[in-house]
Amino acid sequence: MNKSKIFGSMLIIAGTTIGAGMLALPLAASGLGFGMATLVMLLIWSLMTYTALLMIEVHQHAPEDATLHTLAHKLLGRKGQVVASFSMMFLFYALCSAYIAGGGEQINSKLTNWFDLQLPMQAGAIIFTLLIGTVVAIGTRSVDMINRSLFTLKLIALVVMLFLLLPHVSVENLVALPVHQGLVLASLPVIFTSFGFHGSIPSIVRYLGRDTKALRWIIVVGSSLPLMVYVLWMLASQGVLSQPDLMASQSLNGFIDSLSRLLHNPMIANAVSVFADLALATSFLGVSLGLYDFIADLLKRGSTPSHRIQVGLVTFMPPLGFALFYPQGFITALGYAAFALVILAIFLPVAMVSAQRKQLGIEGYQVKGGKLGLTVATLAGVLIISVQLLQMFNLLPAVG
Protein backbone atom coordinates (compact mmCIF):
# COMPACT_ATOMS: atom_id res chain seq x y z
CA MET A 1 0.00 0.00 0.00
CA ASN A 2 1.23 3.48 -0.95
CA LYS A 3 2.30 5.15 2.34
CA SER A 4 1.92 8.59 0.77
CA LYS A 5 -1.73 7.85 -0.05
CA ILE A 6 -2.34 6.58 3.50
CA PHE A 7 -0.85 9.76 4.96
CA GLY A 8 -2.81 11.95 2.56
CA SER A 9 -6.05 10.12 3.35
CA MET A 10 -5.53 10.66 7.08
CA LEU A 11 -5.14 14.38 6.42
CA ILE A 12 -8.30 14.44 4.25
CA ILE A 13 -10.24 12.90 7.18
CA ALA A 14 -8.65 15.32 9.67
CA GLY A 15 -8.98 18.32 7.34
CA THR A 16 -12.67 17.63 6.69
CA THR A 17 -13.30 17.32 10.43
CA ILE A 18 -11.35 20.37 11.66
CA GLY A 19 -13.45 23.12 10.14
CA ALA A 20 -13.90 26.76 11.05
CA GLY A 21 -16.64 25.58 13.44
CA MET A 22 -13.87 24.41 15.78
CA LEU A 23 -13.48 28.04 16.87
CA ALA A 24 -17.00 27.95 18.31
CA LEU A 25 -16.27 24.92 20.52
CA PRO A 26 -15.12 26.99 23.55
CA LEU A 27 -18.43 28.89 23.37
CA ALA A 28 -20.45 25.68 22.98
CA ALA A 29 -18.72 24.17 26.02
CA SER A 30 -18.32 27.42 27.97
CA GLY A 31 -20.56 26.28 30.83
CA LEU A 32 -19.08 22.76 31.07
CA GLY A 33 -15.58 23.39 32.33
CA PHE A 34 -12.49 21.92 30.68
CA GLY A 35 -12.70 18.47 32.33
CA MET A 36 -16.33 17.79 31.40
CA ALA A 37 -15.87 19.26 27.91
CA THR A 38 -12.91 16.93 27.29
CA LEU A 39 -14.90 13.93 28.52
CA VAL A 40 -17.84 14.76 26.21
CA MET A 41 -15.47 15.19 23.25
CA LEU A 42 -13.80 11.85 24.01
CA LEU A 43 -17.19 10.08 24.12
CA ILE A 44 -18.33 11.71 20.84
CA TRP A 45 -15.00 10.84 19.19
CA SER A 46 -15.39 7.19 20.31
CA LEU A 47 -18.92 7.08 18.88
CA MET A 48 -17.95 8.62 15.53
CA THR A 49 -14.82 6.47 15.15
CA TYR A 50 -16.87 3.35 15.93
CA THR A 51 -19.51 4.15 13.29
CA ALA A 52 -16.79 5.07 10.75
CA LEU A 53 -15.25 1.63 11.30
CA LEU A 54 -18.73 0.15 10.70
CA MET A 55 -18.60 1.85 7.29
CA ILE A 56 -15.25 0.16 6.59
CA GLU A 57 -16.84 -3.19 7.51
CA VAL A 58 -19.61 -2.51 4.97
CA HIS A 59 -17.20 -1.38 2.23
CA GLN A 60 -15.09 -4.57 2.38
CA HIS A 61 -17.89 -6.51 0.65
CA ALA A 62 -18.73 -3.83 -1.94
CA PRO A 63 -17.04 -2.58 -5.14
CA GLU A 64 -14.20 -0.09 -4.56
CA ASP A 65 -16.15 2.73 -6.20
CA ALA A 66 -19.35 2.18 -4.17
CA THR A 67 -20.85 5.28 -2.55
CA LEU A 68 -23.51 5.56 0.14
CA HIS A 69 -26.15 5.61 -2.63
CA THR A 70 -25.06 2.16 -3.87
CA LEU A 71 -24.42 0.66 -0.43
CA ALA A 72 -27.80 1.75 0.97
CA HIS A 73 -29.68 0.28 -2.00
CA LYS A 74 -27.79 -3.02 -1.77
CA LEU A 75 -28.34 -3.50 1.97
CA LEU A 76 -31.46 -1.47 2.86
CA GLY A 77 -33.47 -1.47 -0.36
CA ARG A 78 -35.08 1.45 -2.18
CA LYS A 79 -36.45 3.18 0.96
CA GLY A 80 -33.07 3.06 2.70
CA GLN A 81 -31.43 4.43 -0.44
CA VAL A 82 -33.85 7.39 -0.54
CA VAL A 83 -33.21 8.23 3.13
CA ALA A 84 -29.43 7.94 2.66
CA SER A 85 -29.39 10.04 -0.51
CA PHE A 86 -31.62 12.78 0.92
CA SER A 87 -29.58 13.01 4.16
CA MET A 88 -26.29 13.13 2.27
CA MET A 89 -27.38 15.78 -0.22
CA PHE A 90 -29.21 17.91 2.34
CA LEU A 91 -26.23 18.01 4.69
CA PHE A 92 -23.50 18.40 2.07
CA TYR A 93 -25.28 21.00 -0.06
CA ALA A 94 -26.00 23.01 3.12
CA LEU A 95 -22.36 22.77 4.20
CA CYS A 96 -21.03 23.66 0.74
CA SER A 97 -23.38 26.65 0.55
CA ALA A 98 -22.14 27.90 3.92
CA TYR A 99 -18.48 27.34 2.95
CA ILE A 100 -18.94 29.21 -0.35
CA ALA A 101 -20.63 32.14 1.40
CA GLY A 102 -17.88 32.30 4.06
CA GLY A 103 -14.98 31.67 1.68
CA GLY A 104 -16.29 34.19 -0.86
CA GLU A 105 -16.53 36.84 1.83
CA GLN A 106 -12.94 36.16 2.91
CA ILE A 107 -11.61 36.30 -0.68
CA ASN A 108 -13.42 39.60 -1.30
CA SER A 109 -11.94 41.00 1.90
CA LYS A 110 -8.40 39.90 0.97
CA LEU A 111 -8.64 41.31 -2.60
CA THR A 112 -9.85 44.63 -1.20
CA ASN A 113 -7.18 44.85 1.51
CA TRP A 114 -4.21 43.55 -0.49
CA PHE A 115 -4.87 44.86 -4.02
CA ASP A 116 -7.45 47.61 -3.38
CA LEU A 117 -9.86 45.87 -5.78
CA GLN A 118 -13.51 46.85 -5.31
CA LEU A 119 -15.27 43.77 -6.65
CA PRO A 120 -18.97 42.92 -6.23
CA MET A 121 -19.73 40.58 -3.31
CA GLN A 122 -20.61 37.74 -5.69
CA ALA A 123 -17.12 37.73 -7.26
CA GLY A 124 -15.42 36.21 -4.19
CA ALA A 125 -17.92 33.35 -4.00
CA ILE A 126 -17.50 32.56 -7.71
CA ILE A 127 -13.67 32.65 -7.50
CA PHE A 128 -13.66 30.44 -4.37
CA THR A 129 -16.02 27.90 -5.98
CA LEU A 130 -13.98 27.79 -9.21
CA LEU A 131 -10.74 27.19 -7.30
CA ILE A 132 -12.09 24.38 -5.08
CA GLY A 133 -14.32 22.96 -7.84
CA THR A 134 -11.37 22.62 -10.25
CA VAL A 135 -9.26 20.80 -7.65
CA VAL A 136 -12.11 18.39 -6.80
CA ALA A 137 -13.07 17.73 -10.44
CA ILE A 138 -9.46 16.79 -11.32
CA GLY A 139 -9.66 13.96 -8.76
CA THR A 140 -8.89 12.76 -5.24
CA ARG A 141 -5.16 12.90 -5.91
CA SER A 142 -5.27 16.66 -6.49
CA VAL A 143 -7.44 17.12 -3.37
CA ASP A 144 -4.84 15.12 -1.42
CA MET A 145 -1.94 17.29 -2.62
CA ILE A 146 -3.65 20.66 -2.08
CA ASN A 147 -5.09 19.52 1.25
CA ARG A 148 -1.60 18.59 2.54
CA SER A 149 -0.33 22.12 1.86
CA LEU A 150 -3.36 23.81 3.42
CA PHE A 151 -3.34 21.45 6.41
CA THR A 152 0.34 22.23 7.05
CA LEU A 153 -0.37 25.97 7.00
CA LYS A 154 -3.40 25.40 9.24
CA LEU A 155 -1.23 23.57 11.79
CA ILE A 156 1.27 26.46 11.73
CA ALA A 157 -1.55 28.93 12.46
CA LEU A 158 -2.78 26.65 15.25
CA VAL A 159 0.72 26.42 16.77
CA VAL A 160 0.97 30.23 16.70
CA MET A 161 -2.42 30.49 18.47
CA LEU A 162 -1.41 27.96 21.11
CA PHE A 163 2.03 29.58 21.54
CA LEU A 164 0.35 32.91 22.29
CA LEU A 165 -2.32 31.46 24.59
CA LEU A 166 -0.81 28.55 26.57
CA PRO A 167 1.60 30.66 28.71
CA HIS A 168 -1.46 32.49 30.07
CA VAL A 169 -3.47 29.39 31.03
CA SER A 170 -4.79 29.43 34.60
CA VAL A 171 -5.27 26.14 36.46
CA GLU A 172 -8.10 27.79 38.38
CA ASN A 173 -10.02 28.26 35.11
CA LEU A 174 -9.39 24.65 34.01
CA VAL A 175 -10.80 23.04 37.17
CA ALA A 176 -14.15 24.86 36.90
CA LEU A 177 -17.14 22.50 37.13
CA PRO A 178 -20.27 22.57 34.91
CA VAL A 179 -22.54 25.50 35.76
CA HIS A 180 -25.50 23.10 35.58
CA GLN A 181 -25.94 19.59 34.19
CA GLY A 182 -28.38 20.63 31.46
CA LEU A 183 -25.52 22.35 29.63
CA VAL A 184 -23.82 18.98 29.10
CA LEU A 185 -26.82 17.83 27.06
CA ALA A 186 -27.15 21.22 25.34
CA SER A 187 -23.56 21.06 24.05
CA LEU A 188 -23.97 17.62 22.40
CA PRO A 189 -25.22 18.67 18.90
CA VAL A 190 -22.44 21.25 18.41
CA ILE A 191 -19.66 18.93 19.61
CA PHE A 192 -21.17 16.03 17.63
CA THR A 193 -21.16 17.96 14.33
CA SER A 194 -17.50 18.91 14.99
CA PHE A 195 -16.53 15.24 14.48
CA GLY A 196 -18.36 14.63 11.20
CA PHE A 197 -16.30 13.18 8.32
CA HIS A 198 -18.28 10.08 7.30
CA GLY A 199 -19.37 11.44 3.92
CA SER A 200 -15.72 11.40 2.79
CA ILE A 201 -15.19 7.69 3.58
CA PRO A 202 -16.37 6.32 0.17
CA SER A 203 -13.95 8.71 -1.59
CA ILE A 204 -11.09 7.45 0.62
CA VAL A 205 -12.02 3.81 -0.15
CA ARG A 206 -12.09 4.60 -3.88
CA TYR A 207 -8.69 6.33 -3.59
CA LEU A 208 -6.98 3.54 -1.61
CA GLY A 209 -8.85 0.39 -2.56
CA ARG A 210 -10.31 -2.15 -0.15
CA ASP A 211 -7.29 -2.56 2.11
CA THR A 212 -9.28 -2.96 5.32
CA LYS A 213 -6.25 -2.86 7.62
CA ALA A 214 -4.99 0.42 6.10
CA LEU A 215 -8.49 1.92 6.09
CA ARG A 216 -9.00 1.12 9.78
CA TRP A 217 -5.67 2.77 10.58
CA ILE A 218 -6.63 5.84 8.54
CA ILE A 219 -9.98 6.19 10.34
CA VAL A 220 -8.52 5.87 13.85
CA VAL A 221 -5.52 8.17 13.28
CA GLY A 222 -7.37 10.60 11.00
CA SER A 223 -10.16 11.10 13.56
CA SER A 224 -7.73 11.21 16.52
CA LEU A 225 -5.90 14.25 15.09
CA PRO A 226 -8.98 16.49 15.41
CA LEU A 227 -9.57 15.20 18.96
CA MET A 228 -6.02 16.20 19.99
CA VAL A 229 -6.34 19.58 18.26
CA TYR A 230 -9.72 20.23 19.93
CA VAL A 231 -8.42 19.33 23.40
CA LEU A 232 -5.41 21.64 22.99
CA TRP A 233 -7.64 24.45 21.70
CA MET A 234 -10.05 24.01 24.64
CA LEU A 235 -7.10 23.88 27.04
CA ALA A 236 -5.82 27.19 25.69
CA SER A 237 -9.12 29.04 25.34
CA GLN A 238 -10.86 27.78 28.50
CA GLY A 239 -7.63 28.10 30.45
CA VAL A 240 -7.12 31.76 29.51
CA LEU A 241 -10.71 33.00 29.87
CA SER A 242 -12.73 32.36 33.00
CA GLN A 243 -16.07 30.57 32.75
CA PRO A 244 -18.10 33.81 33.28
CA ASP A 245 -16.05 35.59 30.56
CA LEU A 246 -16.55 32.71 28.13
CA MET A 247 -20.28 32.55 28.78
CA ALA A 248 -20.50 36.34 28.32
CA SER A 249 -18.90 36.05 24.84
CA GLN A 250 -22.05 35.70 22.78
CA SER A 251 -20.33 35.36 19.41
CA LEU A 252 -17.07 34.17 17.87
CA ASN A 253 -15.96 37.76 17.27
CA GLY A 254 -16.74 38.61 20.90
CA PHE A 255 -14.70 35.60 21.99
CA ILE A 256 -11.68 36.62 19.86
CA ASP A 257 -11.97 40.23 21.06
CA SER A 258 -11.99 39.02 24.68
CA LEU A 259 -8.79 37.02 24.08
CA SER A 260 -7.02 39.91 22.31
CA ARG A 261 -8.09 42.41 24.96
CA LEU A 262 -7.08 40.19 27.89
CA LEU A 263 -3.62 39.44 26.48
CA HIS A 264 -3.07 42.84 24.80
CA ASN A 265 -1.98 41.06 21.64
CA PRO A 266 -3.63 41.75 18.23
CA MET A 267 -1.62 38.85 16.72
CA ILE A 268 -4.15 36.47 18.29
CA ALA A 269 -6.96 37.83 16.11
CA ASN A 270 -4.72 37.54 13.02
CA ALA A 271 -3.73 33.93 13.82
CA VAL A 272 -7.38 32.99 14.46
CA SER A 273 -8.41 34.66 11.17
CA VAL A 274 -5.76 32.75 9.16
CA PHE A 275 -6.68 29.48 10.87
CA ALA A 276 -10.40 30.02 10.18
CA ASP A 277 -9.75 30.72 6.48
CA LEU A 278 -7.60 27.59 6.06
CA ALA A 279 -10.00 25.43 8.12
CA LEU A 280 -12.86 26.55 5.91
CA ALA A 281 -10.90 25.64 2.74
CA THR A 282 -9.84 22.16 3.93
CA SER A 283 -13.35 21.35 5.16
CA PHE A 284 -14.85 22.49 1.86
CA LEU A 285 -12.36 20.29 -0.04
CA GLY A 286 -13.26 17.19 1.98
CA VAL A 287 -17.02 17.74 1.95
CA SER A 288 -17.24 18.65 -1.75
CA LEU A 289 -15.07 15.62 -2.67
CA GLY A 290 -17.54 13.34 -0.88
CA LEU A 291 -20.48 15.09 -2.57
CA TYR A 292 -18.78 14.96 -6.00
CA ASP A 293 -18.20 11.18 -5.84
CA PHE A 294 -21.75 10.68 -4.55
CA ILE A 295 -23.23 12.70 -7.45
CA ALA A 296 -21.03 10.82 -9.96
CA ASP A 297 -22.45 7.52 -8.67
CA LEU A 298 -26.01 8.90 -8.58
CA LEU A 299 -25.81 10.08 -12.22
CA LYS A 300 -23.74 7.04 -13.34
CA ARG A 301 -20.97 9.23 -14.74
CA GLY A 302 -17.41 8.04 -15.38
CA SER A 303 -14.07 9.83 -15.33
CA THR A 304 -14.03 11.26 -18.86
CA PRO A 305 -13.46 15.05 -19.04
CA SER A 306 -17.04 15.76 -20.18
CA HIS A 307 -18.49 13.57 -17.41
CA ARG A 308 -16.28 15.24 -14.78
CA ILE A 309 -17.45 18.69 -15.92
CA GLN A 310 -21.11 17.56 -15.74
CA VAL A 311 -20.67 16.15 -12.23
CA GLY A 312 -18.76 19.27 -11.18
CA LEU A 313 -21.63 21.51 -12.32
CA VAL A 314 -24.25 19.46 -10.42
CA THR A 315 -22.00 19.42 -7.34
CA PHE A 316 -21.12 23.12 -7.18
CA MET A 317 -23.81 25.12 -9.02
CA PRO A 318 -26.69 24.57 -6.53
CA PRO A 319 -24.71 25.62 -3.41
CA LEU A 320 -23.15 28.53 -5.36
CA GLY A 321 -26.63 29.62 -6.41
CA PHE A 322 -27.89 29.54 -2.84
CA ALA A 323 -24.79 31.33 -1.55
CA LEU A 324 -25.29 34.10 -4.14
CA PHE A 325 -29.05 34.57 -4.16
CA TYR A 326 -30.47 33.00 -1.00
CA PRO A 327 -27.64 32.52 1.53
CA GLN A 328 -29.93 32.64 4.55
CA GLY A 329 -31.91 29.62 3.34
CA PHE A 330 -29.12 27.09 3.50
CA ILE A 331 -27.35 28.79 6.38
CA THR A 332 -30.60 28.24 8.29
CA ALA A 333 -30.55 24.62 7.12
CA LEU A 334 -27.25 24.19 8.98
CA GLY A 335 -29.29 24.50 12.17
CA TYR A 336 -30.65 21.05 11.28
CA ALA A 337 -27.22 19.61 10.46
CA ALA A 338 -27.21 17.36 13.52
CA PHE A 339 -30.37 15.54 12.28
CA ALA A 340 -28.85 14.73 8.88
CA LEU A 341 -25.48 13.83 10.39
CA VAL A 342 -27.04 11.44 12.94
CA ILE A 343 -28.76 9.62 10.05
CA LEU A 344 -25.62 9.68 7.89
CA ALA A 345 -23.01 8.86 10.54
CA ILE A 346 -24.93 6.69 13.04
CA PHE A 347 -28.27 5.24 11.93
CA LEU A 348 -27.22 4.25 8.37
CA PRO A 349 -23.89 2.56 9.32
CA VAL A 350 -25.66 0.64 12.11
CA ALA A 351 -28.54 -0.41 9.82
CA MET A 352 -26.24 -1.42 6.95
CA VAL A 353 -23.90 -3.45 9.17
CA SER A 354 -26.87 -5.19 10.82
CA ALA A 355 -28.27 -6.13 7.40
CA GLN A 356 -24.88 -7.27 6.11
CA ARG A 357 -24.15 -9.43 9.17
CA LYS A 358 -27.54 -11.13 8.75
CA GLN A 359 -26.78 -11.83 5.08
CA LEU A 360 -23.14 -12.94 5.40
CA GLY A 361 -22.76 -14.04 9.03
CA ILE A 362 -19.19 -13.86 10.38
CA GLU A 363 -17.16 -13.16 7.26
CA GLY A 364 -14.13 -10.88 6.98
CA TYR A 365 -13.49 -7.92 9.28
CA GLN A 366 -16.09 -7.18 11.96
CA VAL A 367 -16.01 -4.19 14.33
CA LYS A 368 -15.90 -5.33 17.94
CA GLY A 369 -18.87 -4.73 20.22
CA GLY A 370 -21.48 -6.96 18.63
CA LYS A 371 -25.17 -6.12 19.09
CA LEU A 372 -24.45 -4.17 22.28
CA GLY A 373 -22.19 -1.75 20.39
CA LEU A 374 -24.83 -1.21 17.69
CA THR A 375 -27.51 -0.61 20.33
CA VAL A 376 -25.40 1.90 22.28
CA ALA A 377 -24.58 3.81 19.07
CA THR A 378 -28.27 3.93 18.11
CA LEU A 379 -29.28 5.20 21.56
CA ALA A 380 -26.57 7.90 21.35
CA GLY A 381 -28.03 9.02 18.01
CA VAL A 382 -31.54 9.15 19.50
CA LEU A 383 -30.20 11.25 22.42
CA ILE A 384 -28.53 13.78 20.10
CA ILE A 385 -31.68 14.13 17.96
CA SER A 386 -33.81 14.50 21.12
CA VAL A 387 -31.57 17.31 22.39
CA GLN A 388 -31.76 19.08 19.01
CA LEU A 389 -35.58 18.84 19.07
CA LEU A 390 -35.74 20.22 22.63
CA GLN A 391 -33.55 23.13 21.54
CA MET A 392 -35.74 23.81 18.52
CA PHE A 393 -38.77 24.17 20.80
CA ASN A 394 -36.78 26.25 23.33
CA LEU A 395 -37.08 23.57 26.01
CA LEU A 396 -33.30 23.39 26.31
CA PRO A 397 -30.79 26.20 25.74
CA ALA A 398 -28.95 26.18 22.38
CA VAL A 399 -25.21 26.79 22.70
CA GLY A 400 -22.38 27.68 20.29
mmCIF file of all heavy atoms in Angstrom, residues 192-213:
data_model
loop_
_atom_site.group_PDB
_atom_site.id
_atom_site.type_symbol
_atom_site.label_atom_id
_atom_site.label_comp_id
_atom_site.label_asym_id
_atom_site.label_seq_id
_atom_site.Cartn_x
_atom_site.Cartn_y
_atom_site.Cartn_z
ATOM 1 N N PHE A 192 -20.952 17.162 18.534
ATOM 2 C CA PHE A 192 -21.170 16.030 17.630
ATOM 3 C C PHE A 192 -20.862 16.411 16.180
ATOM 4 O O PHE A 192 -20.148 15.693 15.473
ATOM 5 C CB PHE A 192 -22.626 15.550 17.755
ATOM 6 C CG PHE A 192 -23.036 14.531 16.737
ATOM 7 C CD1 PHE A 192 -22.531 13.246 16.773
ATOM 8 C CD2 PHE A 192 -23.939 14.866 15.732
ATOM 9 C CE1 PHE A 192 -22.915 12.297 15.820
ATOM 10 C CE2 PHE A 192 -24.325 13.932 14.784
ATOM 11 C CZ PHE A 192 -23.814 12.650 14.829
ATOM 12 N N THR A 193 -21.387 17.562 15.725
ATOM 13 C CA THR A 193 -21.159 17.961 14.334
ATOM 14 C C THR A 193 -19.700 18.332 14.085
ATOM 15 O O THR A 193 -19.252 18.354 12.936
ATOM 16 C CB THR A 193 -22.071 19.152 13.945
ATOM 17 O OG1 THR A 193 -21.940 20.193 14.915
ATOM 18 C CG2 THR A 193 -23.520 18.733 13.881
ATOM 19 N N SER A 194 -18.930 18.589 15.144
ATOM 20 C CA SER A 194 -17.502 18.911 14.989
ATOM 21 C C SER A 194 -16.658 17.677 14.691
ATOM 22 O O SER A 194 -15.465 17.798 14.406
ATOM 23 C CB SER A 194 -16.965 19.575 16.268
ATOM 24 O OG SER A 194 -17.642 20.769 16.538
ATOM 25 N N PHE A 195 -17.269 16.483 14.757
ATOM 26 C CA PHE A 195 -16.534 15.244 14.485
ATOM 27 C C PHE A 195 -17.071 14.527 13.240
ATOM 28 O O PHE A 195 -16.847 13.335 13.073
ATOM 29 C CB PHE A 195 -16.608 14.306 15.694
ATOM 30 C CG PHE A 195 -15.687 14.684 16.820
ATOM 31 C CD1 PHE A 195 -16.127 15.500 17.846
ATOM 32 C CD2 PHE A 195 -14.371 14.257 16.846
ATOM 33 C CE1 PHE A 195 -15.281 15.867 18.892
ATOM 34 C CE2 PHE A 195 -13.521 14.614 17.869
ATOM 35 C CZ PHE A 195 -13.974 15.423 18.900
ATOM 36 N N GLY A 196 -17.761 15.257 12.376
ATOM 37 C CA GLY A 196 -18.360 14.628 11.196
ATOM 38 C C GLY A 196 -17.404 14.561 10.013
ATOM 39 O O GLY A 196 -16.895 15.582 9.576
ATOM 40 N N PHE A 197 -17.148 13.359 9.512
ATOM 41 C CA PHE A 197 -16.298 13.183 8.315
ATOM 42 C C PHE A 197 -16.767 11.994 7.480
ATOM 43 O O PHE A 197 -16.162 11.653 6.466
ATOM 44 C CB PHE A 197 -14.833 12.945 8.724
ATOM 45 C CG PHE A 197 -14.627 11.719 9.583
ATOM 46 C CD1 PHE A 197 -14.425 10.474 9.004
ATOM 47 C CD2 PHE A 197 -14.647 11.802 10.959
ATOM 48 C CE1 PHE A 197 -14.252 9.335 9.781
ATOM 49 C CE2 PHE A 197 -14.475 10.674 11.750
ATOM 50 C CZ PHE A 197 -14.272 9.435 11.161
ATOM 51 N N HIS A 198 -17.875 11.360 7.878
ATOM 52 C CA HIS A 198 -18.279 10.080 7.302
ATOM 53 C C HIS A 198 -18.601 10.152 5.813
ATOM 54 O O HIS A 198 -18.437 9.165 5.088
ATOM 55 C CB HIS A 198 -19.483 9.529 8.079
ATOM 56 C CG HIS A 198 -19.156 9.156 9.488
ATOM 57 N ND1 HIS A 198 -18.657 10.072 10.390
ATOM 58 C CD2 HIS A 198 -19.244 7.974 10.154
ATOM 59 C CE1 HIS A 198 -18.452 9.468 11.551
ATOM 60 N NE2 HIS A 198 -18.790 8.203 11.436
ATOM 61 N N GLY A 199 -19.045 11.306 5.342
ATOM 62 C CA GLY A 199 -19.367 11.440 3.923
ATOM 63 C C GLY A 199 -18.158 11.320 3.017
ATOM 64 O O GLY A 199 -18.292 11.065 1.814
ATOM 65 N N SER A 200 -16.957 11.491 3.587
ATOM 66 C CA SER A 200 -15.723 11.396 2.788
ATOM 67 C C SER A 200 -15.181 9.965 2.715
ATOM 68 O O SER A 200 -14.253 9.696 1.941
ATOM 69 C CB SER A 200 -14.636 12.296 3.397
ATOM 70 O OG SER A 200 -15.069 13.629 3.462
ATOM 71 N N ILE A 201 -15.735 9.049 3.514
ATOM 72 C CA ILE A 201 -15.189 7.688 3.579
ATOM 73 C C ILE A 201 -15.238 6.970 2.229
ATOM 74 O O ILE A 201 -14.234 6.367 1.817
ATOM 75 C CB ILE A 201 -15.896 6.860 4.686
ATOM 76 C CG1 ILE A 201 -15.537 7.430 6.061
ATOM 77 C CG2 ILE A 201 -15.496 5.385 4.611
ATOM 78 C CD1 ILE A 201 -16.283 6.798 7.222
ATOM 79 N N PRO A 202 -16.370 7.004 1.469
ATOM 80 C CA PRO A 202 -16.372 6.317 0.166
ATOM 81 C C PRO A 202 -15.284 6.833 -0.779
ATOM 82 O O PRO A 202 -14.699 6.053 -1.537
ATOM 83 C CB PRO A 202 -17.779 6.610 -0.379
ATOM 84 C CG PRO A 202 -18.617 6.821 0.847
ATOM 85 C CD PRO A 202 -17.716 7.520 1.816
ATOM 86 N N SER A 203 -15.004 8.143 -0.737
ATOM 87 C CA SER A 203 -13.955 8.707 -1.593
ATOM 88 C C SER A 203 -12.578 8.176 -1.193
ATOM 89 O O SER A 203 -11.722 7.917 -2.049
ATOM 90 C CB SER A 203 -13.962 10.239 -1.511
ATOM 91 O OG SER A 203 -15.209 10.753 -1.929
ATOM 92 N N ILE A 204 -12.362 8.008 0.122
ATOM 93 C CA ILE A 204 -11.087 7.453 0.619
ATOM 94 C C ILE A 204 -10.943 5.996 0.180
ATOM 95 O O ILE A 204 -9.859 5.557 -0.239
ATOM 96 C CB ILE A 204 -11.013 7.558 2.162
ATOM 97 C CG1 ILE A 204 -11.070 9.017 2.625
ATOM 98 C CG2 ILE A 204 -9.761 6.878 2.693
ATOM 99 C CD1 ILE A 204 -9.916 9.875 2.204
ATOM 100 N N VAL A 205 -12.044 5.228 0.268
ATOM 101 C CA VAL A 205 -12.016 3.815 -0.151
ATOM 102 C C VAL A 205 -11.708 3.726 -1.648
ATOM 103 O O VAL A 205 -10.904 2.895 -2.091
ATOM 104 C CB VAL A 205 -13.358 3.119 0.179
ATOM 105 C CG1 VAL A 205 -13.379 1.691 -0.386
ATOM 106 C CG2 VAL A 205 -13.598 3.090 1.686
ATOM 107 N N ARG A 206 -12.338 4.588 -2.432
ATOM 108 C CA ARG A 206 -12.091 4.597 -3.877
ATOM 109 C C ARG A 206 -10.624 4.944 -4.169
ATOM 110 O O ARG A 206 -9.999 4.371 -5.056
ATOM 111 C CB ARG A 206 -13.010 5.624 -4.547
ATOM 112 C CG ARG A 206 -12.772 5.783 -6.039
ATOM 113 C CD ARG A 206 -13.674 6.832 -6.646
ATOM 114 N NE ARG A 206 -15.054 6.398 -6.666
ATOM 115 C CZ ARG A 206 -15.996 6.956 -7.417
ATOM 116 N NH1 ARG A 206 -15.683 7.967 -8.210
ATOM 117 N NH2 ARG A 206 -17.233 6.528 -7.388
ATOM 118 N N TYR A 207 -10.062 5.861 -3.402
ATOM 119 C CA TYR A 207 -8.687 6.331 -3.594
ATOM 120 C C TYR A 207 -7.674 5.248 -3.232
ATOM 121 O O TYR A 207 -6.673 5.049 -3.919
ATOM 122 C CB TYR A 207 -8.489 7.576 -2.735
ATOM 123 C CG TYR A 207 -7.173 8.301 -2.885
ATOM 124 C CD1 TYR A 207 -6.590 8.515 -4.135
ATOM 125 C CD2 TYR A 207 -6.519 8.818 -1.768
ATOM 126 C CE1 TYR A 207 -5.392 9.211 -4.270
ATOM 127 C CE2 TYR A 207 -5.324 9.516 -1.889
ATOM 128 C CZ TYR A 207 -4.771 9.703 -3.133
ATOM 129 O OH TYR A 207 -3.591 10.390 -3.252
ATOM 130 N N LEU A 208 -7.947 4.506 -2.136
ATOM 131 C CA LEU A 208 -6.978 3.536 -1.608
ATOM 132 C C LEU A 208 -7.239 2.097 -2.036
ATOM 133 O O LEU A 208 -6.332 1.272 -2.036
ATOM 134 C CB LEU A 208 -6.995 3.576 -0.079
ATOM 135 C CG LEU A 208 -6.228 4.706 0.599
ATOM 136 C CD1 LEU A 208 -6.523 4.712 2.074
ATOM 137 C CD2 LEU A 208 -4.733 4.561 0.389
ATOM 138 N N GLY A 209 -8.493 1.794 -2.345
ATOM 139 C CA GLY A 209 -8.846 0.394 -2.563
ATOM 140 C C GLY A 209 -9.321 -0.233 -1.250
ATOM 141 O O GLY A 209 -9.306 0.397 -0.205
ATOM 142 N N ARG A 210 -9.725 -1.496 -1.328
ATOM 143 C CA ARG A 210 -10.315 -2.152 -0.151
ATOM 144 C C ARG A 210 -9.260 -2.819 0.726
ATOM 145 O O ARG A 210 -9.347 -4.018 1.013
ATOM 146 C CB ARG A 210 -11.360 -3.159 -0.603
ATOM 147 C CG ARG A 210 -12.638 -2.524 -1.127
ATOM 148 C CD ARG A 210 -13.595 -3.554 -1.636
ATOM 149 N NE ARG A 210 -13.000 -4.364 -2.719
ATOM 150 C CZ ARG A 210 -13.603 -5.394 -3.290
ATOM 151 N NH1 ARG A 210 -14.790 -5.785 -2.886
ATOM 152 N NH2 ARG A 210 -12.997 -6.069 -4.258
ATOM 153 N N ASP A 211 -8.287 -2.061 1.154
ATOM 154 C CA ASP A 211 -7.290 -2.559 2.111
ATOM 155 C C ASP A 211 -7.829 -2.251 3.510
ATOM 156 O O ASP A 211 -7.617 -1.169 4.053
ATOM 157 C CB ASP A 211 -5.946 -1.860 1.870
ATOM 158 C CG ASP A 211 -4.838 -2.408 2.757
ATOM 159 O OD1 ASP A 211 -5.150 -2.917 3.855
ATOM 160 O OD2 ASP A 211 -3.658 -2.319 2.375
ATOM 161 N N THR A 212 -8.555 -3.211 4.069
ATOM 162 C CA THR A 212 -9.282 -2.961 5.320
ATOM 163 C C THR A 212 -8.361 -2.555 6.451
ATOM 164 O O THR A 212 -8.677 -1.652 7.237
ATOM 165 C CB THR A 212 -10.079 -4.234 5.724
ATOM 166 O OG1 THR A 212 -10.953 -4.580 4.652
ATOM 167 C CG2 THR A 212 -10.892 -3.984 6.982
ATOM 168 N N LYS A 213 -7.197 -3.181 6.542
ATOM 169 C CA LYS A 213 -6.253 -2.857 7.618
ATOM 170 C C LYS A 213 -5.798 -1.394 7.523
ATOM 171 O O LYS A 213 -5.788 -0.665 8.512
ATOM 172 C CB LYS A 213 -5.044 -3.791 7.555
ATOM 173 C CG LYS A 213 -4.082 -3.624 8.720
ATOM 174 C CD LYS A 213 -2.940 -4.630 8.644
ATOM 175 C CE LYS A 213 -1.956 -4.434 9.806
ATOM 176 N NZ LYS A 213 -0.809 -5.378 9.711
#
